Amino acid sequence: MLLKNSRYQQARPFVAGTPAPGVPVSGFRGLRARSIASLEGVIEHSITDTDRLDHLARHYYDDDRLWWRILDANPQLLDADLLLGDDYVGRVILIPQAKA
Protein backbone atom coordinates (compact mmCIF):
# COMPACT_ATOMS: atom_id res chain seq x y z
CA MET A 1 0.00 0.00 0.00
CA LEU A 2 1.33 3.41 -0.96
CA LEU A 3 0.59 6.73 0.63
CA LYS A 4 -1.49 9.00 -1.58
CA ASN A 5 1.42 11.40 -2.12
CA SER A 6 4.08 8.72 -2.62
CA ARG A 7 6.53 9.35 -5.47
CA TYR A 8 5.85 5.71 -6.48
CA GLN A 9 2.09 6.27 -6.90
CA GLN A 10 2.35 6.22 -10.72
CA ALA A 11 4.82 3.30 -10.90
CA ARG A 12 3.70 0.26 -12.88
CA PRO A 13 3.29 -3.07 -11.04
CA PHE A 14 5.98 -5.68 -11.56
CA VAL A 15 4.84 -8.64 -13.64
CA ALA A 16 7.18 -11.59 -13.92
CA GLY A 17 7.86 -12.80 -17.44
CA THR A 18 8.25 -16.38 -18.62
CA PRO A 19 10.97 -17.94 -16.47
CA ALA A 20 13.93 -19.68 -18.00
CA PRO A 21 13.85 -23.49 -17.89
CA GLY A 22 14.75 -24.72 -14.43
CA VAL A 23 14.32 -21.30 -12.82
CA PRO A 24 11.48 -21.05 -10.31
CA VAL A 25 8.84 -18.36 -10.82
CA SER A 26 9.42 -15.45 -8.50
CA GLY A 27 6.70 -14.71 -5.98
CA PHE A 28 7.79 -11.07 -5.88
CA ARG A 29 4.88 -8.67 -5.86
CA GLY A 30 6.07 -5.13 -6.14
CA LEU A 31 6.49 -2.13 -8.36
CA ARG A 32 8.79 -1.44 -11.24
CA ALA A 33 11.23 1.38 -10.84
CA ARG A 34 9.54 4.74 -11.13
CA SER A 35 10.38 6.87 -14.14
CA ILE A 36 12.61 9.78 -13.25
CA ALA A 37 12.01 13.06 -15.00
CA SER A 38 15.02 15.26 -15.52
CA LEU A 39 15.11 17.95 -12.88
CA GLU A 40 16.44 21.41 -13.37
CA GLY A 41 19.23 22.22 -10.98
CA VAL A 42 18.86 25.68 -9.56
CA ILE A 43 21.87 25.71 -7.23
CA GLU A 44 25.37 24.40 -7.86
CA HIS A 45 26.99 22.77 -4.84
CA SER A 46 30.67 21.84 -4.63
CA ILE A 47 31.06 18.60 -2.67
CA THR A 48 33.28 18.62 0.42
CA ASP A 49 34.70 15.65 2.31
CA THR A 50 31.96 15.89 4.98
CA ASP A 51 28.94 16.04 2.63
CA ARG A 52 26.22 13.42 2.69
CA LEU A 53 23.07 13.46 0.58
CA ASP A 54 20.80 13.48 3.62
CA HIS A 55 22.76 16.36 5.16
CA LEU A 56 22.52 18.33 1.92
CA ALA A 57 18.76 17.73 1.84
CA ARG A 58 18.51 18.97 5.42
CA HIS A 59 20.50 22.08 4.49
CA TYR A 60 18.68 22.96 1.27
CA TYR A 61 15.17 21.61 1.97
CA ASP A 62 15.03 21.48 5.78
CA ASP A 63 14.10 17.80 5.41
CA ASP A 64 16.75 15.07 5.32
CA ARG A 65 14.27 12.60 3.79
CA LEU A 66 14.36 14.50 0.46
CA TRP A 67 17.89 13.33 -0.42
CA TRP A 68 16.40 11.41 -3.36
CA ARG A 69 15.58 14.73 -5.11
CA ILE A 70 19.28 15.57 -5.20
CA LEU A 71 20.01 12.07 -6.48
CA ASP A 72 17.35 12.40 -9.21
CA ALA A 73 19.06 15.58 -10.44
CA ASN A 74 22.51 13.94 -10.31
CA PRO A 75 22.19 10.33 -11.52
CA GLN A 76 26.00 10.06 -11.67
CA LEU A 77 25.85 9.77 -7.86
CA LEU A 78 23.91 6.49 -7.96
CA ASP A 79 26.96 4.51 -6.92
CA ALA A 80 27.81 6.96 -4.11
CA ASP A 81 25.13 5.81 -1.64
CA LEU A 82 24.29 8.45 0.97
CA LEU A 83 27.95 8.96 1.77
CA LEU A 84 29.88 10.91 -0.82
CA GLY A 85 33.41 9.50 -0.73
CA ASP A 86 36.73 11.14 -1.47
CA ASP A 87 36.23 10.50 -5.20
CA TYR A 88 33.46 13.13 -5.21
CA VAL A 89 35.24 15.92 -3.34
CA GLY A 90 35.41 19.03 -5.52
CA ARG A 91 32.77 17.87 -7.99
CA VAL A 92 29.85 20.17 -8.58
CA ILE A 93 26.33 18.78 -8.29
CA LEU A 94 22.99 20.42 -8.98
CA ILE A 95 20.42 21.00 -6.26
CA PRO A 96 16.86 21.13 -7.69
CA GLN A 97 13.95 23.06 -6.27
CA ALA A 98 12.32 21.48 -3.25
CA LYS A 99 9.01 21.08 -5.05
CA ALA A 100 8.23 21.87 -8.65
Side-chain angles (χ1 to χ4, degrees):
M1 184 169 125
L2 300 173
L3 297 174
K4 66 179 177 181
N5 57 349
S6 170
R7 64 184 182 265
Y8 292 95
Q9 192 67 29
Q10 301 301 319
R12 297 178 297 135
F14 176 79
V15 179
T18 306
V23 176
V25 176
S26 171
F28 176 75
R29 290 178 26 140
L31 299 174
R32 291 198 177 278
R34 66 186 172 87
S35 60
I36 299 175
S38 63
L39 296 174
E40 287 286 323
V42 294
I43 298 172
E44 289 184 350
H45 176 87
S46 183
I47 297 174
T48 67
D49 60 344
T50 60
D51 281 341
R52 288 179 25 179
L53 292 177
D54 56 337
H55 292 173
L56 293 174
R58 167 66 67 190
H59 176 75
Y60 289 108
Y61 307 136
D62 200 27
D63 187 345
D64 55 359
R65 296 170 297 171
L66 295 178
W67 59 267
W68 58 271
R69 293 193 59 76
I70 298 170
L71 191 63
D72 283 359
N74 300 278
Q76 73 275 17
L77 298 178
L78 278 174
D79 63 341
D81 204 6
L82 283 177
L83 301 174
L84 300 172
D86 292 337
D87 294 343
Y88 292 93
V89 172
R91 290 190 191 183
V92 175
I93 61 173
L94 299 177
I95 307 294
Q97 290 180 320
K99 191 68 177 164

